[in-house]
Amino acid sequence: MMKAHKGDLTMAGEALNKSDLSIAQRLWRVHWLFVLVLIATASVGFAMLYSAANGSFDPWAARQMMRFGVGIGIMLLVAMTNLRVWLKYSYAFYAVTLLLLGAVELGGTIGMGAQRWIDLGVINLQPSELMKVAMVLALSRYFHSGNIEDIGRPTFLLTPLFLVAAPTALVLRQPDLGTALMLVIGSGAIFFAAGVRIWKFVVLLVMGLASAPIGWQFLRDYQKQRVLTFLNPENDPLGSGYHIIQSKIALGSGGLFGKGFMQGSQSHLSFLPEKQTDFIFTMLAEEFGLVGGLGLLGLYVLILAYGFTISLNCRNHFGRLVGMGVTTTFFLYVFINIAMVMGLIPVVGVPLPLISYGGTAMMTLLLGFGLLLSVHINRDESIGRRGAADDF
Amino acid sequence: MHRDSERHKLFSRRTAMLAGGKAVLLSALVGRMYYLQVVESDKYKTLADENRINFRLLAPPRGRIVDRFGVPMADNQQNYRVVLIPEQTGDVEETLRRLGRIISIRKGEKKHILREVRRKRSFVPVTLRENLNWEDVARIEVNTPDLPGVMIDVGQSRFYPFAIETSHVLGYVAAVSEGETKGDPLLELPGFRIGKSGIEKIYDLALRGSSGSSQVEVNAYGRVIRELNRSEGQPGTRLQLTLDSGLQQMASKRLGEESGSIVVMDVHSGGVLAMVSTPGFDPNAFNKGLSSDEWNALISNDKSPLINKSIGGHYAPGSTFKMVVALAALEKGVITAESEVFCSGKTELGNATFHCWKKGGHGIVNLNAGIAQSCDVYFYEIARRTGIERIAAMARRLGLGARLGLDLPGEKGGLIPSDKWKRGAIGAPWQKGETLLAGIGQGYVLTTPLQLAVMTARIVNGGVAVTPHLTRDIVTKNGITKREQEPARDIGLIPAHLALIRDAMDTVVNVPGGTAFGARIISPDFRMGGKTGTAQVRRISKQERENRVLKNSELPWKERDHALFVGYAPVDAPRYSIAVIVEHGGGGSQVAAPIGRDVLEEAQRRNAARPGEDIPLEKALETKIIPLSGDDESTQG
C-alpha cells in the first residue's frame, strides 16, 4: 500500500519496470491454486457429462475436456499478457465486439429461434458472450480514467450508460433475455463498485420498473410465456411449466445424498430436459443430493472468494474493476442458472459455468479468468488515470 | 495518489457490499436446495417414482371350457395382429396406403384407424387388424422396411373349435361395452373380452381369472425401459361341462338347416349331454367383431339364430304333454289302465267341437292305445274328468311351467295354465273347453325343449326330480366344488302309474301302429321309448275342416306345424332322455322322431360314462378329432 502513495512520475517509472516481468516471473506469479480449483470444478462437469451420456465420454464429456484444455491454454495466454495491453485495447475490443453483435443482426444464422451465432467457418462466434468480457474491460477503463469527483457528476455517467445500452439493446433484439440481464446486472456491479451513488441506482430501478409494462410489449411471446410460467408453473404442467416441475422433482427426489452416480431416474429417463446443458445442476443434485449440490456451490464460492481477493489486492483501479466485473459475471452465471433450475426465477438460457456442455460460455469464462489472473500477476502495478495513453 | 487511495477505499467498501449481496443470494440458493432436497424430499421422491413407474395390468388367460371327456370346446388361440406405433411411423397415411397393398384396408376401417391414432399418445400401438393368417403375417414381415412403425403382435383370442354347433350353449366373448366397465380394472384393458352370452357369460367371473400386474420403468415419453416387478395373475378356471361335444356336433348336424332344438340329458344326474339350437351363429365372428351387415343378417333372420331355442323357445308341447295328463288322471283315479273311451274322430262340449287328429277316429281306446296312437279324443275325455288344476299340478311336478335353474342365461319358464293364472293374466274365468285343449298340449300350454327333456327324465327315472345342469362341478366366483350326487327328491308318483306310462311310450315306438314305429331303433341293446307330438300353430277354420285340412307342405313355412318328439333310451333301463323340436317341421312322427332316434342311438353308442382326459386344443385340431365347422356341410335328409 505504501507504493500507492508515491508521486505520479515515480509510479509511471515503477510501472514500466513492473511490466518488464519476465515470462518465468509471470508464470511464477500465476495463481496456481485458483487454476487448480477451476480444473476441479470443470472435472465435476466432465463427470456429469459422462453420466448424462449414460456412462460414455461420447458425445459430450470428451469434447468438453478438449475444449477446456484449449480454454485453459487461452486463459494462461491472456494471463501472461500485460494488463496495460488490455487497458490499451479495451475500447477497441469493445468496438469490434459491438460491430460483430450488430452483424449478428444482419447475417447471423438462425439457431434455437434466436440469432446468436456468427459462422466464421472454423468456429461459431457468439458476440453476445464476448460482449460480457468486452463490456467489463470498456467500463473498467472508463471508470479507471475518472476520479471521485467525476463519478459524482451525472454527465460523466452518460458515456458508460451508452456503452451498456447499445449492446444490451442488440442482445435484446436477438432476443436473448439471459445475456441482456447479465450485461445489465454485470455492468451495474461495475458502476456500483466504481462508486456511483446508491440513490442513482434507486432512481434507475424505479424508472426501470415504471417502464416495465412498456418493455413487456417488446418481449417475444415465448419470453412472455416463460415469465408467466415462472409465476405459476403448475398451471401448465405439460407445457412450459413441465421443465421446471420435472427439474424440481429431480432435485427434491435426490434428497440428502442423492441417488448415486448415473442413477438419476429423472435425468436418465429423459424427464429432465437439456440435462447436459442448462439443467445439469439438477442432474448433479439428483445424483449426489444436497451434499453434492453444496459441494459444487463450495467450489464456486472458492472461485468467487479468490476473485474478490484478487480484486481487492490489486493496486490499480483498472485491475480492481476488471477483477470485480469478471467475478460478478461469473457469479451471475452461477446464480441465474441454479436459481432457474430450482424454480426461483424464470427459465432463462444461462449455462452453469464450467459444468454445462458448450464451448462459447466456457471461452467467455476462461477469457475472463485469464484477465483475472492477469490482474493478479500485475497486482502491484500502478497505472495512471490516463492509463495506457501515458505509457505508450 | 490520495485520490486513488480514496477510490480504493470506496471500491473496497462497495466490493464488500457486493460480496454481502452475493452471499445473501447464494444463501437463498442453499436455502432453496435445503427446502427441496430435505424438507420436501419425500414428496418429490414419490413424484419421481410416479413419473418413473407405471403399473400395467396383465390379462390372465381365460379359462378353457372342455366337454365331459376333456375335448376343448372353447380355448385360447394365438392371435396374430398387426399394430402401428404412430411415433415410429412418421406419415401414417402413407404407411397405411402401403399396407393396403398387402392386406386390403377398407375406407371405413382407415378412418377408424386414423381416429385412434389421433386419440392415443403416439407411442401407444394402434391395432390395425386382428386374426391375421400366416400368409399375411409373412407378407407384412417381408415388407417391414417399407412399413415403419408397423409390427406383428401376438395376443390370445378365444377360439371355439365347434363354432356354430356350440354357439348357444357356450355363448361368445366380445369387447367390453361402455356400460360394463365398472369394477374390475381388467375390463379397461384394451382388447379385453368378456362373456356376453351362454356359459361364457354365466361363468364369466370364474373364467376371467384375476389380473396380474407388471411394474415397469418408463421414460418421460412413456416408453418402457425395463420391468421392475411382475406378478402373474390367476388364470381363469377350467370348466368341464356335462356336454358331449361329439353328440352335440352330431345332433347339430342332424338338425341341419331346420330351425329347431335338441336337448339330451342324463335322466339320473340331470347333466345335459347335448343342447342344440338351430340355426346358430359363429361365435368366433363375434370375438373379432361383426360388421353391421353380418349383424343385421342375424337380427332379421326369421329363424332367430341368436336365441337359444332349447331354453328360450316357447312351444306348445302338443301330444308330448299327454303323459302328464295321463299321470294326473291315474293319480286322481278317474281312469285305470283298462278304462276305455270311444273315439269317433271328434267330441263335443257345449256347442264346441273338438277334433281328433285322425279324421275317422280310433274307435275304442284305452290308456296304452291312447298314448301309442296319440288319440286326442281319449285325452279330451280324461282331461275333462281330471280338471285343469290336477293337470297343472302334475305338469309342475314334472318340471314344466317354471324355470328349472339351468346354469345358462336366458332360460324361460314356459306356461302351465290354471284358473288362477287365467284370471290374473287374462281377467276371465277358466272355461271347460280350455281344459280339453290343455289335455292335448295345446291352448295356453307352453314349454321349452329343456323342460320336455326334464319331464321325460322324471317320468322314466322313477319320479325323481332331477334338475338339469351343464357343468360337472359347481362353479362360483370363489372356486369349484364337486357337484354332489343329486339327492333323490321323489315327486311322489306311484311306480305302477309310471310303469304304465313307460310301457305306453315303449309301444309308441316299438309296436306296429305306434306313431313312432317307423322311427324305432332296430339294435336291441339301444331300443328307445318315446312320444311324438305335432303342435298346431294356426287355427284350422270350420270351413277348411269341412273341405280338407291342408297338408303342411301346402302351407307357408310360418304356418306349418311344429314337429316334436320326446324319448328315452335304453328302453329297459333308461339313461338318456331327449326332446326334439323342429319348428314348422310338420308331423312329429315323420320329422322329429327320426331325429330323436338317431341322436339317442348315437348317445348310447358314445356312452357318456366312458372315461376321458383333457386334450390340448392344438392336438385336438391336428388329429382332427374335431372337424372344424364348415369343413363338411352335413346334408339334410
Side-chain angles (χ1 to χ4, degrees):
Chain A
M1 292 307 267
M2 287 299 289
K3 282 169 188 165
H5 293 281
K6 288 183 179 165
D8 277 3
L9 280 171
T10 23
M11 192 206 77
E14 262 186 23
L16 268 174
N17 290 337
K18 285 280 154 61
S19 66
D20 286 344
L21 283 169
S22 71
I23 301 251
Q25 278 173 310
R26 284 170 193 276
L27 271 175
W28 178 245
R29 294 188 72 153
V30 167
H31 198 317
W32 289 110
L33 205 57
F34 177 75
V35 176
L36 205 68
V37 175
L38 289 186
I39 292 172
T41 311
S43 302
V44 173
F46 304 150
M48 291 327 294
L49 289 174
Y50 179 80
S51 169
N54 292 318
S56 161
F57 283 102
D58 260 356
W60 299 310
R63 292 186 64 187
Q64 184 81 345
M65 286 160 96
M66 245 162 58
R67 281 189 190 131
F68 183 73
V70 174
I72 285 282
I74 292 175
M75 178 184 82
L76 289 176
L77 268 176
V78 171
M80 294 293 143
T81 315
N82 193 325
L83 195 60
R84 284 165 191 274
V85 177
W86 289 107
L87 178 70
K88 184 181 172 191
Y89 293 113
S90 51
Y91 285 148
F93 185 37
Y94 173 87
V96 169
T97 310
L98 191 62
L99 273 174
L100 285 175
L101 201 53
V104 177
E105 278 295 303
L106 305 169
T109 335
I110 310 282
M112 301 285 284
Q115 304 170 359
R116 292 176 192 180
W117 320 89
I118 283 182
D119 193 352
L120 293 184
V122 194
I123 53 157
N124 282 334
L125 191 67
Q126 203 173 346
S128 58
E129 278 292 324
L130 217 52
M131 184 48 92
K132 288 171 187 165
V133 178
M135 180 90 85
V136 168
L137 284 170
L139 288 177
S140 298
R141 170 161 183 178
Y142 187 82
F143 285 115
H144 172 81
S145 67
N147 58 27
I148 282 215
E149 286 76 33
D150 290 335
I151 303 283
R153 275 188 297 135
T155 47
F156 181 78
L157 297 178
L158 284 177
T159 314
L161 274 178
F162 174 77
L163 287 180
V164 178
T168 305
L170 283 172
V171 168
L172 265 182
R173 270 207 58 166
Q174 280 189 5
D176 183 351
L177 201 60
T179 305
L181 212 68
M182 284 184 67
L183 283 176
V184 170
I185 299 174
S187 315
I190 297 176
F191 276 65
F192 186 80
V196 175
R197 292 296 181 115
I198 292 173
W199 66 264
K200 285 174 183 154
F201 286 95
V202 176
V203 168
L204 261 178
L205 194 70
V206 170
M207 279 167 62
L209 282 178
S211 62
I214 302 160
W216 178 256
Q217 308 292 325
F218 288 99
L219 288 182
R220 297 292 170 96
D221 277 345
Y222 84 91
Q223 292 172 322
K224 287 183 187 175
Q225 197 54 48
R226 280 182 181 177
V227 176
L228 290 175
T229 301
F230 160 69
L231 294 175
N232 190 2
E234 274 80 6
N235 229 2
D236 183 17
L238 286 176
S240 336
Y242 178 81
H243 292 178
I244 295 182
I245 292 171
Q246 293 302 339
S247 175
K248 278 160 76 176
I249 291 174
L251 271 157
S253 61
L256 204 53
F257 297 105
K259 298 174 184 170
F261 188 50
M262 307 216 291
Q263 301 296 314
S265 67
Q266 287 281 104
S267 319
H268 288 283
L269 298 175
S270 313
F271 288 100
L272 199 62
E274 305 281 325
K275 59 175 180 284
Q276 79 281 15
T277 58
D278 290 359
F279 284 87
I280 198 163
F281 182 80
T282 307
M283 186 182 169
L284 175 111
E286 187 190 14
E287 298 194 347
F288 296 106
L290 182 67
V291 174
L294 287 181
L296 180 65
L297 223 51
L299 285 171
Y300 282 147
V301 168
L302 213 55
I303 293 171
L304 287 171
Y306 280 132
F308 277 112
T309 321
I310 289 168
S311 306
L312 286 171
N313 287 341
C314 182
R315 206 158 292 178
N316 58 73
H317 204 52
F318 177 68
R320 287 195 289 256
L321 289 173
V322 167
M324 190 59 240
V326 168
T327 309
T328 303
T329 301
F330 175 74
F331 168 80
L332 286 173
Y333 273 114
V334 173
F335 179 78
I336 292 177
N337 179 273
I338 297 181
M340 182 234 347
V341 301
M342 293 200 296
L344 282 173
I345 60 166
V347 175
V348 280
V350 172
L352 188 65
L354 299 172
I355 308 279
S356 285
Y357 178 76
T360 341
M362 180 173 284
M363 285 306 149
T364 309
L365 278 160
L366 291 177
L367 200 62
F369 288 140
L371 289 171
L372 192 65
L373 285 173
S374 179
V375 169
H376 181 70
I377 291 166
N378 299 290
R379 60 183 176 275
D380 295 330
E381 215 162 323
S382 299
I383 305 173
R385 276 211 287 125
R386 277 170 293 164
D390 294 342
D391 305 312
F392 294 92
Chain B
M1 271 344 289
H2 194 69
R3 281 214 177 103
D4 190 58
S5 153
E6 254 179 63
R7 219 161 53 158
H8 194 173
K9 271 188 194 159
L10 182 61
F11 174 82
S12 302
R13 207 162 57 235
R14 286 292 174 89
T15 302
M17 286 167 77
L18 276 174
K22 286 171 188 173
V24 168
L25 288 175
L26 286 177
S27 309
L29 293 186
V30 172
R32 179 71 170 174
M33 271 163 77
Y34 179 80
Y35 175 75
L36 289 176
Q37 300 197 278
V38 177
V39 181
E40 296 264 87
S41 181
D42 287 342
K43 171 182 143 191
Y44 286 117
K45 273 183 182 135
T46 312
L47 285 173
D49 280 347
E50 277 174 16
N51 257 350
R52 174 172 87 89
I53 296 167
N54 261 5
F55 279 93
R56 309 204 159 186
L57 281 179
L58 299 174
R62 196 171 173 83
R64 61 200 303 253
I65 302 174
V66 297
D67 81 345
R68 67 185 304 119
F69 302 120
V71 176
M73 300 185 84
D75 211 334
N76 305 312
Q77 226 187 12
Q78 302 241 301
N79 162 21
Y80 292 89
R81 53 184 175 230
V82 56
V83 297
L84 176 129
I85 301 169
E87 72 169 1
Q88 294 173 9
T89 303
D91 189 345
V92 176
E93 292 216 32
E94 170 63 19
T95 306
L96 285 182
R97 206 175 54 74
R98 285 188 205 156
L99 186 66
R101 287 192 292 232
I102 300 167
I103 52 168
S104 66
I105 299 175
R106 274 176 282 117
K107 245 203 178 123
E109 223 178 330
K110 191 171 172 182
K111 238 171 74 182
H112 179 77
I113 291 166
L114 289 174
R115 199 171 52 231
E116 285 277 286
V117 168
R118 275 194 300 275
R119 230 163 39 97
K120 288 180 174 167
R121 287 208 274 171
S122 62
F123 56 82
V124 178
V126 173
T127 303
L128 303 181
R129 178 73 63 80
E130 292 199 70
N131 304 297
L132 291 170
N133 59 32
W134 261 113
E135 206 177 307
D136 285 338
V137 170
R139 279 197 293 178
I140 291 168
E141 291 282 8
V142 165
N143 283 290
T144 37
D146 285 339
L147 302 166
V150 172
M151 290 195 314
I152 300 290
D153 191 25
V154 191
Q156 283 203 324
S157 68
R158 201 63 161 166
F159 178 64
Y160 303 95
F162 296 94
I164 201 165
E165 290 152 359
T166 56
S167 53
H168 297 102
V169 189
L170 297 181
Y172 60 91
V173 294
V176 185
S177 34
E178 263 168 55
E180 297 169 328
T181 51
K182 286 181 205 90
D184 198 336
L186 266 179
L187 299 182
E188 282 164 42
L189 280 179
F192 194 76
R193 300 283 196 269
I194 58 168
K196 295 283 187 161
S197 76
I199 290 284
E200 293 275 26
K201 181 177 183 178
I202 204 156
Y203 292 117
D204 188 51
L205 284 180
L207 287 167
R208 206 186 278 172
S210 57
S211 57
S213 68
S214 155
Q215 224 180 355
V216 291
E217 187 173 64
V218 295
N219 70 4
Y221 314 111
R223 191 187 308 289
V224 176
I225 304 299
R226 65 194 164 121
E227 192 167 58
L228 301 173
N229 206 340
R230 186 187 182 94
S231 70
E232 294 294 345
Q234 188 72 37
T237 308
R238 164 190 169 278
L239 277 190
Q240 184 156 33
L241 302 185
T242 54
L243 292 177
D244 171 353
S245 56
L247 187 65
Q248 174 85 11
Q249 188 175 33
M250 181 267 161
S252 173
K253 288 208 190 314
R254 189 62 184 81
L255 270 177
E257 298 295 306
E258 299 282 5
S259 172
S261 158
I262 295 173
V263 175
V264 182
M265 65 182 272
D266 184 309
V267 298
H268 301 296
S269 71
V272 176
L273 292 161
M275 177 178 275
V276 173
S277 174
T278 55
F281 54 87
D282 182 3
N284 295 316
F286 275 83
N287 191 10
K288 290 172 202 168
L290 288 181
S291 72
S292 57
D293 284 352
E294 289 168 312
W295 176 249
N296 287 334
L298 285 174
I299 287 291
S300 59
N301 191 330
D302 275 350
K303 297 180 177 175
S304 322
L306 291 178
I307 289 173
N308 183 355
K309 298 185 176 84
S310 306
I311 56 169
H314 268 167
Y315 303 96
S319 301
T320 59
F321 192 63
K322 285 174 179 165
M323 283 84 79
V324 178
V325 180
L327 278 170
L330 285 168
E331 195 175 76
K332 195 182 177 189
V334 294
I335 56 159
T336 63
E338 286 76 36
S339 306
E340 289 176 344
V341 170
F342 179 75
C343 170
S344 65
K346 63 185 178 186
T347 189
E348 266 152 39
L349 185 78
N351 46 12
T353 308
F354 295 85
H355 294 270
C356 185
W357 66 270
K358 193 171 179 183
K359 210 174 174 194
H362 291 92
I364 290 172
V365 177
N366 63 9
L367 176 64
N368 194 283
I371 290 177
Q373 294 165 34
S374 203
C375 174
D376 290 338
V377 170
Y378 178 83
F379 281 92
Y380 291 144
E381 175 57 24
I382 69 169
R384 192 184 57 75
R385 291 187 205 166
T386 312
I388 188 65
E389 301 307 328
R390 298 296 289 256
I391 294 171
M394 179 57 69
R396 292 201 185 91
R397 279 154 79 191
L398 290 168
L400 306 179
R403 277 196 285 268
L404 291 160
L406 181 75
D407 39 356
L408 213 55
E411 191 192 348
K412 282 193 175 171
L415 176 63
I416 296 302
S418 65
D419 181 42
K420 195 178 157 208
W421 165 80
K422 199 188 169 196
R423 285 173 195 273
I426 299 175
W430 187 260
Q431 303 292 319
K432 262 236 165 74
E434 289 165 343
T435 306
L436 271 56
L437 279 178
I440 60 161
Q442 294 276 162
Y444 298 115
V445 185
L446 290 174
T447 57
T448 65
L450 177 71
Q451 287 175 333
L452 292 178
V454 169
M455 174 193 81
T456 310
R458 289 183 182 183
I459 291 169
V460 300
N461 72 5
V464 177
V466 287
T467 51
H469 54 83
L470 275 164
T471 48
R472 297 199 101 179
D473 307 307
I474 294 168
V475 181
T476 61
K477 205 168 75 181
N478 303 320
I480 287 191
T481 48
K482 265 266 172 280
R483 200 180 280 282
E484 295 294 323
Q485 191 63 41
E486 195 84 20
R489 192 167 62 81
D490 199 304
I491 49 176
L493 295 173
I494 295 156
H497 294 170
L498 287 172
L500 284 175
I501 302 297
R502 260 175 65 185
D503 194 37
M505 289 172 83
D506 187 355
T507 313
V508 168
V509 181
N510 297 311
V511 176
T515 55
F517 182 70
R520 70 191 177 280
I521 295 174
I522 309 294
S523 170
D525 293 343
F526 294 163
R527 283 189 308 131
M528 71 171 184
K531 177 77 193 80
T532 58
T534 305
Q536 220 171 277
V537 294
R538 66 187 183 112
R539 200 171 184 87
I540 298 171
S541 69
K542 202 166 183 179
Q543 196 193 353
E544 186 190 332
R545 180 113 30 212
E546 276 162 13
N547 295 329
R548 183 179 67 88
V549 176
L550 290 170
K551 284 184 186 158
N552 271 306
S553 56
E554 295 166 319
L555 292 166
W557 184 75
K558 271 276 178 191
E559 288 179 19
R560 295 180 195 171
D561 299 334
H562 289 330
L564 292 99
F565 178 76
V566 299
Y568 64 92
V571 76
D572 304 320
R575 269 186 66 200
Y576 309 103
S577 75
I578 189 171
V580 178
I581 180 158
V582 180
E583 281 188 342
H584 311 293
S589 40
Q590 292 85 49
V591 178
I595 296 175
R597 171 199 61 203
D598 292 348
V599 176
L600 271 183
E601 190 170 4
E602 176 76 4
Q604 293 175 91
R605 275 203 313 106
R606 293 183 64 82
N607 182 15
R610 80 186 144 89
E613 63 177 36
D614 272 24
I615 304 167
L617 178 65
E618 291 74 24
K619 199 177 159 213
L621 293 176
E622 263 173 35
T623 55
K624 294 275 177 192
I625 287 175
I626 306 153
L628 285 171
S629 68
D631 273 7
D632 60 320
E633 290 296 328
S634 72
T635 44
Q636 163 66 4

